Amino acid sequence: MTALSMQGCDGSVLLDDTSSFTGEKTAGPNANSLRGYDVIDTIKTNVEAVCNQTVSCADILAVAARDSVVALGGPTWTVPLGRRDATTASLSTANSDIPSPASNLNALISKFSNKGLSTTDMVALSGAHTIGQAKCSSFRTHIYNETNIDTSFATSLKANCPSSGGDTNLVPLDLSTSTAFDNDYYKNLVANKGLLHSDQELFNGGSTDSQVSAYSTNQAKFFSDFASAMVKMGNVSPLTGSSGEIRTNCRKTN
Ligand code: HEM
């Protein structure tokens, strides 16, 4: 997952489908992939109990993302607050704006650029793949049909991801330290051990190789660029002022 609503940082990704719109949860990149909606529900219930209709679901998501990174040993940053929640969501926007794991470098650069995020931001943000997991269907072509992958790494993955079937089997995006937020993702790329085709695109003889190499030997630089880029990404098209609403239940509009 890209734990993102591509409508902007407006909590639209949390909305369940209704009779008037089909939301983002079933978008190709999110279906059976984005998880943890129940964690956001619990936080929201607790926040509403002490401070009614004041903190948006979009702000809760932004703070939860920061706190998760900190809890796993990554950097911290100040999350600007005051986002309001969308009153609608769009399946088609989610499908068209979220980059696929089959993307090449140019496609990755342009999807981020369309949201006002630079190539440097894109490479730093991709370091989030130091945690979490991917489904077999997201990386099968890369391990069976591509050559820019370490042979023994590819072989070891095939046990869990057969050439047909097992589409939803999960593998850590960073096989070495999948629950620590560190710079191992970039060390893996330099060793041709990127799990997704799109991951390995960042170190495949192109313009972003130097940034990947730098992060692979300088975790502090990765941490500081990641923190800045998360603030920038958190400012992508938020709703403010009297736009949107403060939802009382993150799954539904008021
Ligand atoms: C550069 C473009 C990106 C692509 C193509 C991409 C693609 C993917 C894919 C295919 C998965 C696995 C989904 C699955 O198979 O279930 C995934 C997981 C994940 N992505 Fe990305 N992603 C990108 C950028 C990002 C960014 C910017 C972040 C956050 C800053 C991020 C955070 C994550 C996390 C945390 C997971 C693991 C989710 C879990 O274990 O539940 N990704 N991504």
Side-chain angles (χ1 to χ4, degrees):
M1 114 116 221
T2 334
L4 276 180
S5 147
M6 278 302 166
Q7 198 165 311
C9 293
D10 59 10
S12 54
V13 70
L14 301 172
L15 291 171
D16 287 336
D17 296 346
T18 70
S19 53
S20 55
F21 61 78
T22 302
E24 301 166 26
K25 288 181 175 176
T26 52
N30 292 340
N32 304 313
S33 176
L34 271 188
R35 295 177 280 278
Y37 299 109
D38 52 327
V39 177
I40 300 296
D41 291 339
T42 305
I43 297 170
K44 181 63 173 173
T45 305
N46 286 295
V47 172
E48 286 298 305
V50 291
C51 191
N52 188 248
Q53 265 196 291
T54 305
V55 183
S56 68
C57 298
D59 275 351
I60 288 174
L61 260 189
V63 170
R66 190 268 321 273
D67 291 352
S68 308
V69 170
V70 171
L72 299 176
T76 192
W77 60 92
T78 302
V79 181
L81 297 174
R83 296 171 191 79
R84 292 166 61 83
D85 294 321
T87 51
T88 186
S90 162
L91 176 63
S92 59
T93 306
N95 275 329
S96 65
D97 289 12
I98 298 179
S100 125
S103 306
N104 65 22
L105 183 58
N106 284 336
L108 295 171
I109 291 172
S110 76
K111 295 264 173 167
F112 279 72
S113 158
N114 290 341
K115 301 294 168 186
L117 298 168
S118 69
T119 302
T120 307
D121 295 331
M122 188 272 289
V123 173
L125 289 168
S126 296
H129 289 178
T130 176
I131 57 170
Q133 309 188 91
K135 290 173 293 203
C136 170
S137 57
S138 300
F139 59 85
R140 179 182 285 122
T141 306
H142 183 52
I143 67 171
Y144 284 94
N145 300 342
E146 297 181 339
T147 53
N148 61 341
I149 182 168
D150 177 86
T151 315
S152 58
F153 176 62
T155 302
S156 70
L157 291 165
K158 290 175 184 172
N160 241 332
C161 184
S163 55
S164 75
D167 282 11
T168 57
N169 294 355
L170 292 171
V171 167
L173 283 153
D174 166 9
L175 213 47
S176 52
T177 55
S178 75
T179 57
F181 197 99
D182 56 25
N183 66 338
D184 281 15
Y185 170 77
Y186 300 101
K187 294 181 183 171
N188 294 339
L189 296 185
V190 169
N192 272 344
K193 292 180 179 175
L195 183 63
L196 307 176
H197 169 87
S198 53
D199 289 327
Q200 199 59 55
E201 279 289 298
L202 305 182
F203 188 86
N204 194 36
S207 62
T208 53
D209 281 20
S210 54
Q211 194 184 343
V212 169
S213 297
Y215 290 161
S216 75
T217 57
N218 189 345
Q219 178 164 276
K221 175 69 177 153
F222 162 50
F223 278 11
S224 102
D225 287 359
F226 183 82
S228 312
M230 284 296 286
V231 173
K232 271 180 81 175
M233 186 169 69
N235 290 338
V236 172
S237 317
L239 296 173
T240 57
S242 57
S243 306
E245 62 183 15
I246 306 289
R247 251 174 251 154
T248 55
N249 173 339
C250 292
R251 293 175 187 257
K252 297 188 298 194
T253 60
N254 292 340

